[in-house]
Amino acid sequence: MSEQAVQQGASSVNGQTANEERGSGLSSTVQSIIRTIVIVYFINFAVTKFFGSQQQQQAVPAFEEAGSTNGIVQEYNPIPQNIAPIWPMNSSLDVKIYLSSSLAMPAFHHIPDERLVLDETDFKLGDWSDKRVIDTEFKVPKDVQHNATLWAHIYVALHGHGLDPAAPDYSVRTAYHFFRPLNQYLAKKKVTRTRKLIGGEDQQMDATDGSTPQGPVIASYYHPNFTMSLIPDSGVLKYEKVHPAVRQYMVLEATGARDSSGQNGWYYPIVFVNTFWQLRDHMTELNSTVKTLPLHIDLNNLNNWKFGMYASIDESIKQNQRNIANGGPVPAGGDGSEFEEFKRILIDTNIYLLSTTVAVTILHTVFEFLAFKNDVSHWRSKKDNVGVSFRTILANVFMQSVIFLYLLDNSDGTSWMILLGQGMGILLEAWKITKTVDVRLRPNATPGAILPYTLTFEDKHKLSETERKTQEYDQIAFRYLYILFVPLLLAYAAYSVLYEEHKGWYSFVLTTLVGSVYAYGFLMM
């Protein structure tokens, strides 16, 4: 029984350490993403069930059939209650995109041709097979090299109608214009400065010269790929109930026209500049050395339910990143690094391997919960200490505490779920101590002692012969274990402090102890 307990303790520590060392593990990532998707679907289902019938009760006439104007509507509402698509679903569209660092755009004939990056005609709204791919490159404007925003000015019109707002034939009934940023302002990844604690005077001076910026460092990043999707099936919507992440992509009819009731209006086709699949590692930091950049655009139609899911999740992640960049705390859901890793897995991993990984993750979670439940049940019903290694339990508490402190010291990108699981493991092992012995705080009888009290572990009852034999063998096993382990720990600590770099002495102690946990777990086996 003692050997089994030792092996279980060692394998538990080794398994947990290996997982936690990886930071944002796939298991916690999959769990958090599945939970997010389920919540989004549930919200969409609830809105459809409870508000869908109300949206259909008041029909909004087609824009061409609206006979009223703002001047004769008596109860004109500046904020429309219901909004409907201004153009039919099967409309043919012309689309142009110009790049600029300014929000104000001149007439088309004054814009350099090199600023035009997309010019597509007769694109079918609602034709799922109509897909356009554009590959080009452009010169980076000087002010964009110095942290200005790179704007994509997007012009959309019914096929054959004018796109230029400065042209005499331009009409807001048949065309509209909006802009979206192509670069993102993100906090740079924190660079951990390390140095040799002994014999590293130069590194120490560099680390303490005051050049390290305080707080997050913001930089402008550009991704060469984005998808521009039109949403043909959004239908009639209650404007006030549209999710803010979706509403930011909606452009209402420019004149503010209403139907005969004065309460309902229209909106132009939703154009979703989809950056959902963009990865941080594929971005380029914009500075004076970046002269030209490539640009890949996919133009297509996208289902409304996919658009809502993409927009909601992407906006949530970006909002967390903006809060962190402004000095706010990291939210419980993480800073987006877990979701970034999840997107990378979806992009780079074979679908069969991914499905197997998800299934194994779910089974691992179930088995981990069952193991935790059985462990608690076993110890609650245990009446004696036969075969129980008290020192192994203490060792487990110490090792898991070291791992927990190490994860906190290197908490960038570490999932809060891993920290929570590690903390629960420590509490479970500490509870086992109270089931094995009585923990007492006794007055210190040692003359001249600094601390007035000392922590003692006392037997819960008079030990039987078998229990005394267990304690005796436990002491002998750990005595030989210490003889082998302590010299190895000291040798590793000496090598680490002389030849490896660390953030400081506290980080050195934790790193050394974590390294020793691996060796200790192996020796315990």
Side-chain angles (χ1 to χ4, degrees), residues 52-359:
S53 58
Q54 297 180 7
Q55 293 179 9
Q56 300 299 326
Q57 285 178 359
Q58 186 170 5
V60 180
F63 183 69
E64 294 81 1
E65 300 174 0
S68 62
T69 63
N70 295 347
I72 63 174
V73 174
Q74 296 181 357
E75 297 183 2
Y76 179 82
N77 191 341
I79 301 177
Q81 296 297 312
N82 298 285
I83 52 176
I86 189 172
W87 300 333
M89 183 173 176
N90 58 351
S91 301
S92 295
L93 307 178
D94 297 338
V95 184
K96 282 189 176 182
I97 297 181
Y98 286 93
L99 300 184
S100 176
S101 59
S102 173
L103 290 177
M105 292 293 287
F108 283 179
H109 63 274
H110 290 307
I111 304 176
D113 293 339
E114 63 185 19
R115 295 300 183 197
L116 179 63
V117 295
L118 183 145
D119 187 4
E120 295 293 323
T121 61
D122 199 21
F123 179 80
K124 295 296 189 298
L125 180 65
D127 185 355
W128 309 107
S129 63
D130 193 353
K131 299 179 181 180
R132 315 285 177 91
V133 178
I134 299 92
D135 286 289
T136 183
E137 64 178 19
F138 62 94
K139 293 182 179 180
V140 182
K142 289 291 185 182
D143 43 358
V144 174
Q145 295 176 340
H146 297 86
N147 288 333
T149 301
L150 178 63
W151 296 100
H153 288 265
I154 303 173
Y155 300 85
V156 183
L158 291 173
H159 181 55
H161 291 77
L163 281 165
D164 187 358
D169 61 343
Y170 182 82
S171 171
V172 295
R173 298 174 65 91
T174 58
Y176 68 108
H177 157 241
F178 63 97
F179 44 82
R180 293 286 183 268
L182 289 187
N183 59 328
Q184 301 181 42
Y185 295 95
L186 304 173
K188 288 186 176 182
K189 292 183 178 181
K190 185 178 180 181
V191 178
T192 302
R193 293 181 177 268
T194 59
R195 58 188 173 88
K196 289 185 178 180
L197 300 179
I198 297 179
E201 291 81 3
D202 295 338
Q203 291 88 337
Q204 184 174 2
M205 292 178 61
D206 293 340
T208 57
D209 61 0
S211 60
T212 303
Q214 300 294 325
V217 178
I218 308 301
S220 176
Y221 291 90
Y222 167 82
H223 196 285
N225 303 330
F226 75 86
T227 300
M228 192 167 72
S229 302
L230 283 95
I231 316 301
D233 58 341
S234 50
V236 179
L237 303 170
K238 273 192 172 296
Y239 186 64
E240 293 181 348
K241 295 185 180 299
V242 176
H243 193 285
V246 173
R247 189 185 302 172
Q248 64 178 327
Y249 294 101
M250 303 184 70
V251 180
L252 299 182
E253 192 272 332
T255 65
R258 298 289 182 268
D259 65 352
S260 58
S261 69
Q263 303 297 311
N264 306 314
W266 296 267
Y267 64 96
Y268 297 106
I270 299 175
V271 179
F272 177 38
V273 180
N274 189 357
T275 60
F276 184 85
W277 296 108
Q278 292 183 356
L279 298 179
R280 177 74 174 269
D281 292 345
H282 297 167
M283 293 184 179
T284 301
E285 182 179 349
L286 299 181
N287 50 46
S288 59
T289 64
V290 181
K291 305 298 182 182
T292 61
L293 287 170
L295 179 60
H296 176 89
I297 304 174
D298 290 299
L299 178 63
N300 57 27
N301 290 278
L302 183 67
N303 286 315
N304 185 53
W305 68 269
K306 290 183 180 179
F307 161 61
M309 184 182 67
Y310 286 155
S312 300
I313 298 178
D314 193 44
E315 179 60 24
S316 175
I317 297 299
K318 289 181 178 178
Q319 183 60 46
N320 290 341
Q321 292 174 339
R322 287 192 289 266
N323 292 339
I324 296 172
N326 293 330
V330 178
D335 59 356
S337 57
E338 285 187 358
F339 194 73
E340 184 87 355
E341 185 64 25
F342 181 77
K343 290 192 293 185
R344 186 193 312 281
I345 293 170
L346 292 179
I347 293 173
D348 299 337
T349 306
N350 180 277
I351 183 62
Y352 299 106
L353 178 60
L354 180 62
S355 302
T356 304
T357 303
V358 171

